[in-house]
Amino acid sequence: MRGRFSILRRWNIIVVTMLALTHSAFAGPPYVSDDPEPTDYKHFEIYTFSNGTATRGDIGGAAGVDFNYGAAPDLQLTATLPAGFDRPGLGRTSFGLSNIELAAKYRFLRQDSFGLDVSIFPRVFLPSGSANIGNNTASLLLPVWVQKDWSGGWSAFGGGGCVISGHASQNFCLTGGVVTYQLLPKLQLGAELFHQTADGNGTPASTSVGFGARYDLNETYHLLGYIRQGIENTNETDQFSWYASILFTF
C-alpha cells in the first residue's frame, strides 16, 4: 500500500500504505506501515486515494481505487488499481497505468487470546502498463504486521518485510511503526516512523517521519490525510509526501 510513498514513488503503490484505515482500531492507510486487522467478514472497505512524493528535481505519485473485502473470518482480499504520473524537473510529465496490486491479509494471532494481532499480508505488484510509470517487472512484498490496542484510545502497529523483484538487484526491505490516539469520538491522530533500504534503481536508503489523521463523517464515509518528510537522504528520496483518501465502509 516510502511509505506508501517511497514505495509509491518507485512502485506507485499506496502504507500502506497506509498503510488500511478500517474498523475497530482504524489502522493502515493513510500510513505507509500496514496493520494486521483484516476487513470484517462479508464487508467492504474501498479507498479512493491520491498520493505523491517530491524529491530534488522530480515529483510523482498516483491516484486510484483500493478495494478490500472480508472473504472469510481473519482473511482480507485486496486489489489496488492506480494511475500514476511523473513530472521531472526537466522534461515532460508522464501519465499512465501504474502497478496493479493483488494481496491477501491473513490474521493468525489475535489480541483476545495472544495479546497481539499478527498477520501476514503478501502483495503481488503486476508489471506497469506504461513505459515511464511504475516498474515494468513484477515484484512481491512479503511482510508481517503486528498491533496492540490499549484502553484510553491508544494503539500501536507496525512491522515490515522485503520486496522481491524480477531483477534481484532491485530487492529491498522496509520497516515502520505507527502510534495513534483517538482524540475525539470521530477524530483519530497518529505519527509514523518509516525506513526503507536502498534499492537497485539508484535510490539510497531512506527514513521518514509522518503524521496522519482520520475523521469519521458517519459509519460509511471517512476522510483520511497524511503528510511526511524524509530525515535521511531527503533530497534523493522524500522532500515531502502526501496521501488523501475518502474511505467507504459497508
Side-chain angles (χ1 to χ4, degrees):
M1 134 294 126
R2 261 119 311 6
R4 216 167 262 126
F5 306 126
S6 280
I7 303 177
L8 280 174
R9 181 174 184 277
R10 284 293 169 191
W11 309 92
N12 286 307
I13 61 178
I14 73 139
V15 171
V16 201
T17 259
M18 146 120 186
L19 298 45
L21 271 192
T22 58
H23 47 289
S24 184
F26 278 84
Y31 308 98
V32 184
S33 306
D34 219 312
D35 72 289
E37 190 174 12
T39 303
D40 288 335
Y41 181 39
K42 294 185 178 181
H43 285 257
F44 289 89
E45 297 169 350
I46 300 175
Y47 301 82
T48 58
F49 67 87
S50 172
N51 61 58
T53 294
T55 62
R56 182 174 56 193
D58 186 88
I59 183 169
V65 182
D66 184 357
F67 297 93
N68 301 276
Y69 176 65
D74 294 319
L75 176 63
Q76 168 188 313
L77 301 181
T78 295
T80 304
L81 309 177
F85 74 92
D86 183 67
R87 186 176 68 187
L90 299 175
R92 301 177 59 182
T93 301
S94 300
F95 298 91
L97 181 65
S98 188
N99 299 95
I100 295 174
E101 302 174 36
L102 302 176
K105 179 190 292 186
Y106 177 66
R107 178 172 56 187
F108 57 92
L109 294 173
R110 300 176 63 99
Q111 290 191 51
D112 54 10
S113 58
F114 181 71
L116 296 171
D117 287 322
V118 184
S119 290
I120 56 173
F121 196 7
R123 288 178 178 266
V124 174
F125 301 93
L126 302 182
S128 170
S130 307
N132 300 320
I133 302 297
N135 196 288
N136 60 8
T137 61
S139 58
L140 174 66
L141 170 62
L142 296 172
V144 175
W145 302 109
V146 179
Q147 180 169 318
K148 177 66 176 179
D149 302 322
W150 293 274
S151 60
W154 290 95
S155 181
F157 63 91
C162 293
V163 171
I164 302 171
S165 173
H167 298 298
S169 62
Q170 296 178 358
N171 296 348
F172 63 92
C173 296
L174 56 93
T175 185
V178 178
V179 176
T180 65
Y181 177 64
Q182 195 71 35
L183 181 65
L184 298 172
K186 292 188 175 183
L187 177 63
Q188 183 192 78
L189 302 178
E192 176 177 39
L193 180 64
F194 193 87
H195 177 76
Q196 178 180 310
T197 64
D199 62 33
N201 291 318
T203 302
S206 64
T207 303
S208 60
V209 175
F211 300 93
R214 172 185 58 84
Y215 185 78
D216 303 320
L217 297 174
N218 52 44
E219 293 184 356
T220 302
Y221 304 104
H222 317 268
L223 303 179
L224 289 69
Y226 179 81
I227 56 173
R228 192 187 69 252
Q229 185 174 41
I231 56 176
E232 177 188 14
N233 297 315
T234 302
N235 288 335
E236 297 85 357
T237 61
D238 189 2
Q239 291 182 329
F240 69 89
S241 297
W242 75 89
Y243 176 93
S245 174
I246 300 175
L247 166 63
F248 305 87
T249 57
F250 54 94

